[in-house]
């Protein structure tokens, strides 16, 4: 494989596949895959499509925060799963569940292959950033989804779901960090970027969803800068030389900024919906309390008659007309 200092002149099929898959999931999939919502009979239309896009961007930027929101707002494991993927409490259809599981599994498999290729296969004469810096940080998005899917299938309680998800997140993170650190073929000293990105995506779960503005900007940096930097910088490694140009990176940068804006809008949108739902619950609770207030007890009919004095109906007195004597 002929290799230049910062890219591959003859990148093979696997390199193209991994790069284009990362580009699709980061910059394209969040608005293309949701286009069927425009024609859906239930919860369809332009407004619902925009909400779905904004929620998807928020989930991709801050999966940990969306996971926390899902398990604290929903009533059961099916609701948690629906909340995480759609922002709604309506249960997912079976086809949607299968699609989400397959997508998350492919994301994790792609990350494993990318990390293996960039840390073991590539030679050490290709310096600086590897694909792990923009592949490994997106793994928590898939991990949280798979854990919630398993929880919905096993009908777990919230405590079991949280403990299992945290354990999986820590184990995968530790294993990935060890591999990237130990087998970093590029010897660039920037392997920690992938680790910090992974940790940031997950640790957003401990922060409330209503205070995420700064973290959304950091998540945008983690998601788009490694790919954009690799495609435009002369020192950053990029797997395909043919795409190492601003003609390729420029549209991606615009889409990345648009996705970040949609995440901010999704944050505000879901906050408004939460307030409306909370107000609706308060109104329903108030109506139930009013309906449950004790009514004044009325005495039985017999006691009521005894308490009331017996009143005889007064008949009108007949009026005596003057007697008229007939004239003889």
């Amino acid at each position: 494989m002929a290799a230049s200092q910062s890219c591959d002149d003859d990148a093979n099929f696997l390199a193209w596949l991994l790069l284009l898959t990362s580009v699709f999931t980061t910059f394209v999939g969040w608005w293309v895959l949701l286009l069927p919502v425009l024609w859906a009979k239930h919860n369809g239309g332009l407004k619902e499509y925009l909400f779905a896009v904004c929620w998807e961007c928020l989930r991709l930027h801050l999966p940990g925060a969306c996971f926390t929101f899902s398990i604290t707002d929903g009533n059961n494991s099916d609701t948690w799963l629906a909340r995480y993927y759609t922002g709604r409490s309506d249960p997912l259809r079976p086809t949607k569940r299968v699609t989400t599981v397959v997508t998350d599994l492919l994301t994790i498999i792609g990350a494993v292959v990318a990390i293996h290729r960039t840390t073991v296969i590539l030679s050490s004469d290709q310096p600086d950033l590897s694909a792990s810096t923009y592949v490994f940080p997106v793994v928590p998005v898939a991990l949280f989804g798979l854990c919630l899917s398993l929880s919905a299938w096993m009908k777990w309680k919230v405590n079991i779901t949280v403990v299992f998800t945290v354990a999986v997140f820590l184990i995968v993170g530790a294993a990935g960090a060890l591999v990237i650190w130990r087998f970093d073929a590029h010897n660039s000293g920037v392997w920690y970027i992938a680790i910090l990105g992974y940790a940031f995506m997950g640790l957003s779960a401990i922060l409330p969803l209503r205070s995420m503005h700064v973290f959304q900007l950091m998540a945008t940096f983690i998601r788009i800068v490694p790919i954009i930097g690799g495609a435009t910088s002369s020192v950053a490694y990029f797997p395909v030389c043919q795409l190492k140009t601003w003609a390729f990176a420029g549209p991606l940068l615009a889409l990345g900024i648009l996705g970040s804006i949609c995440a901010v809008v999704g944050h505000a949108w879901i906050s408004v919906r939460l307030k409306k739902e909370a107000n609706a619950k308060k109104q329903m609770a108030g109506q139930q309390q009013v309906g449950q207030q004790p009514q004044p007890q009325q005495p039985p009919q017999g006691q009521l008659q005894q308490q009331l004095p017996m009143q005889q109906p007064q008949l009108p007195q007949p009026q005596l007309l003057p007697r008229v004597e007939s004239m003889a």
Side-chain angles (χ1 to χ4, degrees):
M1 177 177 63
S4 65
Q5 183 180 5
S6 59
C7 63
D8 290 345
D9 294 321
D10 56 347
N12 57 17
F13 173 78
L14 181 59
W16 277 92
L17 179 62
L18 292 176
L19 176 62
L20 295 181
T21 300
S22 299
V23 169
F24 181 83
T25 55
T26 305
F27 300 97
V28 181
W30 50 265
W31 58 273
V32 169
L33 297 179
L34 294 174
L35 286 175
V37 177
L38 290 171
W39 301 279
K41 295 181 180 180
H42 179 65
N43 290 333
L46 180 59
K47 182 178 179 181
E48 298 301 327
Y49 170 75
L50 293 177
F51 174 78
V53 167
C54 292
W55 173 260
E56 181 70 6
C57 289
L58 181 62
R59 186 177 71 89
L60 295 176
H61 282 74
L62 299 174
C66 292
F67 171 82
T68 302
F69 160 73
S70 301
I71 62 174
T72 55
D73 187 70
N75 299 323
N76 51 62
S77 55
D78 292 328
T79 306
W80 306 335
L81 183 64
R83 281 285 194 186
Y84 180 74
Y85 282 106
T86 65
R88 300 178 175 278
S89 58
D90 300 335
L92 298 180
R93 299 189 304 272
T95 54
K96 178 66 174 178
R97 290 194 177 192
V98 174
T99 302
T100 55
V101 170
V102 172
T103 302
D104 291 337
L105 286 176
L106 291 177
T107 300
I108 294 178
I109 293 173
V112 172
V113 175
I115 293 173
H116 175 71
R117 179 180 183 275
T118 56
T119 56
V120 179
I121 298 178
L122 293 180
S123 58
S124 60
D125 61 348
Q126 296 166 331
D128 301 309
L129 293 176
S130 67
S132 60
T133 57
Y134 56 82
V135 172
F136 193 52
V138 303
V139 171
V141 180
L143 282 182
F144 290 134
L146 288 174
C147 290
L148 287 176
S149 297
L150 183 60
S151 174
W153 181 50
M154 300 293 292
K155 303 299 180 183
W156 284 343
K157 301 297 184 181
V158 62
N159 294 335
I160 300 177
T161 303
V162 172
V163 171
F164 178 79
T165 304
V166 172
V168 170
F169 174 78
L170 294 178
I171 293 173
V172 174
L178 181 62
V179 170
I180 294 174
W181 169 76
R182 175 63 181 84
F183 299 102
D184 184 12
H186 296 162
N187 298 319
S188 59
V190 296
W191 56 269
Y192 58 85
I193 293 179
I195 312 304
L196 292 177
Y198 177 92
F200 172 82
M201 290 293 188
L203 293 179
S204 61
I206 65 177
L207 298 175
L209 189 63
R210 295 179 177 84
S211 59
M212 288 291 170
H213 299 292
V214 176
F215 284 83
Q216 287 172 355
L217 296 177
M218 295 176 64
T220 302
F221 177 87
I222 293 172
R223 283 179 58 81
I224 70 174
V225 167
I227 295 182
I228 302 300
T232 57
S233 175
S234 59
V235 296
Y237 172 76
F238 200 67
V240 180
C241 283
Q242 292 86 338
L243 300 180
K244 193 174 176 64
T245 173
W246 269 108
F248 173 74
L252 296 185
L253 179 60
L255 288 173
I257 295 175
L258 179 60
S260 177
I261 294 174
C262 289
V264 175
V265 174
H267 176 199
W269 203 333
I270 196 63
S271 300
V272 172
R273 287 203 171 187
L274 288 176
K275 291 181 180 179
K276 289 183 178 180
E277 291 179 1
N279 293 334
K281 290 180 181 179
K282 289 182 180 179
Q283 292 179 357
M284 292 180 62
Q287 293 176 358
Q288 291 178 356
Q289 291 179 358
V290 171
Q292 294 176 357
Q293 287 181 355
Q295 299 294 333
Q297 297 182 355
Q298 296 183 357
Q301 188 68 21
Q303 296 181 6
L304 181 62
Q305 292 179 357
Q306 293 178 3
Q307 293 176 3
L308 295 177
M310 298 298 294
Q311 297 181 0
Q312 297 293 337
Q314 297 181 359
L315 300 175
Q317 297 293 332
Q319 296 181 1
L320 298 177
L321 298 176
R323 185 176 181 181
V324 180
E325 297 182 356
S326 60
M327 298 181 61

